[in-house]
């Protein structure tokens, strides 16, 4: 079972918790907001975090914590404004709301059969900008 932390509006959270086990997921943290999620990521160490793309549920601290400890982050956007907010945090590929557990694995299904509304795509986070060409380079340590 995949361990999951949730930071979503209560109705969405309750719906997903009710069906999690049936879809092979174990909810290890139900968070009321971004600050709570950032703390729970450290203690619960889920494999996946699902957060709504709104300031209450998603923050730069959450994105950094997921990156630091290797937690996959699935960001759910319900509007253009939420997609824009997610983009300000470096999240460039949020999934459309409402989020559902049903995942159709592309490896098991012909590409023409994949339903874009239910397929879960990993969130891509923009890489930090490259150093300017004239910036000093760090030398690798010699042992």
């Amino acid at each position: 079972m995949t361990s999951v932390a949730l930071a979503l509006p209560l109705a969405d959270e309750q719906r997903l918790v009710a069906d999690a086990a049936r879809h092979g997921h174990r909810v290890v943290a139900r968070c009321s907001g971004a600050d709570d999620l950032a703390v729970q990521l450290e203690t619960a160490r889920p494999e996946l975090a699902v957060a709504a793309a709104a300031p209450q549920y998603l923050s730069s601290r959450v994105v950094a914590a997921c990156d630091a400890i290797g937690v996959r982050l699935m960001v759910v956007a319900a509007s253009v404004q939420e997609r824009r907010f997610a983009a300000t945090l470096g999240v460039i590929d949020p999934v459309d709301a409402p989020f559902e557990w049903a995942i159709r694995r592309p490896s098991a299904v012909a590409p023409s059969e994949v339903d874009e509304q239910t397929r879960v795509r990993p969130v891509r986070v923009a890489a930090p900008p490259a150093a300017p060409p004239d910036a000093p380079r760090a030398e690798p340590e010699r042992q």
Side-chain angles (χ1 to χ4, degrees):
M1 292 195 129
T2 302
S3 59
V4 181
L6 301 174
L8 299 163
L10 186 58
D12 293 329
E13 176 187 292
Q14 290 173 335
R15 177 178 48 79
L16 291 171
V17 167
D19 289 337
R22 185 168 60 96
H23 290 280
H25 305 292
R26 181 174 45 93
V27 177
V28 296
R30 296 171 70 173
C31 305
S32 59
D35 291 338
D36 188 19
L37 177 58
V39 170
Q40 291 296 325
L41 290 171
E42 290 290 330
T43 57
R45 297 287 179 149
E47 297 168 66
L48 172 68
V50 180
Q56 178 182 346
Y57 303 104
L58 184 65
S59 67
S60 59
R61 184 175 169 207
V62 169
V63 174
C66 286
D67 187 45
I69 61 177
V71 173
R72 290 175 291 158
L73 176 61
M74 186 70 56
V75 175
V76 182
S79 67
V80 171
Q81 292 82 6
E82 288 185 353
R83 286 185 172 283
R84 287 184 185 136
F85 172 71
T88 67
L89 299 176
V91 177
I92 59 173
D93 196 15
V95 297
D96 293 328
F99 180 77
E100 300 291 339
W101 290 127
I103 299 173
R104 299 187 74 185
R105 300 181 193 281
S107 60
V109 179
S112 61
E113 296 177 31
V114 174
D115 178 354
E116 288 297 321
Q117 293 296 330
T118 59
R119 188 176 85 199
V120 175
R121 296 174 303 270
V123 174
R124 288 180 277 162
V125 177
D134 59 343
R137 293 186 180 179
E139 294 293 322
E141 291 184 28
R142 295 182 187 225
Q143 297 181 3

